[in-house]
Amino acid sequence: MLFRSAIYDEYTVVVGDYLWKISAKSDIYSDPMQWMRIYSYNKDQIKNPDLIYSDQILKIHRENGEDEYLVAKGDYLQKIAGNANVLGDPSKWTKIYEKNKDIIGEDANMIFPYTVLVIPKD
């Protein structure tokens, strides 16, 4: 089995930037709704999505690594866990939730499109 590395670019925040604006840029995603993709992919350095800083270097997610999943519209944790390329068992959804609780929040039923989830190793 080949290891798939995540592919990402880097973006340096400038004065006046915010996640919605960055994700709308044509060289980023051309879609402001994908701001969650930037936020979740940089959760190690963004504690509040309303607070980013000039000269901060953000990773711009381009392709999933082997332990990542990009949430699509209509996805929910049981569906994701049941995917043969993820965990292959819908009952293991709690493992995904526990690994991503900091980005999902308290309500496991509320996951948003374009969130990059970390998939736990079994």
Side-chain angles (χ1 to χ4, degrees), residues 3-80:
F3 175 76
R4 290 178 316 181
S5 294
I7 297 174
Y8 63 89
D9 297 327
E10 290 185 340
Y11 175 84
T12 303
V13 176
V14 297
V15 174
D17 271 346
Y18 46 93
L19 297 180
W20 179 277
K21 181 179 179 181
I22 295 168
S23 65
K25 293 180 181 224
S26 61
D27 59 335
I28 305 297
Y29 302 128
S30 297
D31 180 0
M33 298 301 290
Q34 292 196 43
W35 72 270
M36 186 63 167
R37 192 171 175 183
I38 300 171
Y39 173 50
S40 61
Y41 206 64
N42 290 276
K43 65 184 176 186
D44 58 325
Q45 63 171 317
I46 302 175
K47 302 306 175 208
N48 179 339
D50 293 325
L51 294 174
I52 59 173
Y53 304 97
S54 296
D55 298 323
Q56 192 171 9
I57 298 172
L58 302 176
K59 296 181 287 188
I60 303 300
H61 176 259
R62 297 297 182 193
E63 191 172 309
N64 291 335
E66 94 175 9
D67 64 341
E68 296 172 341
Y69 181 87
L70 180 62
V71 176
K73 198 174 211 177
D75 274 347
Y76 51 93
L77 293 178
Q78 279 186 306
K79 179 180 177 182
I80 295 167

Side-chain angles (χ1 to χ4, degrees), residues 48-118:
N48 179 339
D50 293 325
L51 294 174
I52 59 173
Y53 304 97
S54 296
D55 298 323
Q56 192 171 9
I57 298 172
L58 302 176
K59 296 181 287 188
I60 303 300
H61 176 259
R62 297 297 182 193
E63 191 172 309
N64 291 335
E66 94 175 9
D67 64 341
E68 296 172 341
Y69 181 87
L70 180 62
V71 176
K73 198 174 211 177
D75 274 347
Y76 51 93
L77 293 178
Q78 279 186 306
K79 179 180 177 182
I80 295 167
N83 183 319
N85 295 322
V86 180
L87 297 177
D89 182 350
S91 70
K92 293 184 178 179
W93 70 269
T94 56
K95 290 183 179 213
I96 297 172
Y97 175 69
E98 288 301 321
K99 187 78 171 177
N100 296 277
K101 192 187 303 188
D102 57 336
I103 202 74
I104 294 172
E106 291 182 24
D107 188 351
N109 294 312
M110 289 290 295
I111 60 170
F112 295 97
Y114 307 115
T115 301
V116 180
L117 299 175
V118 176

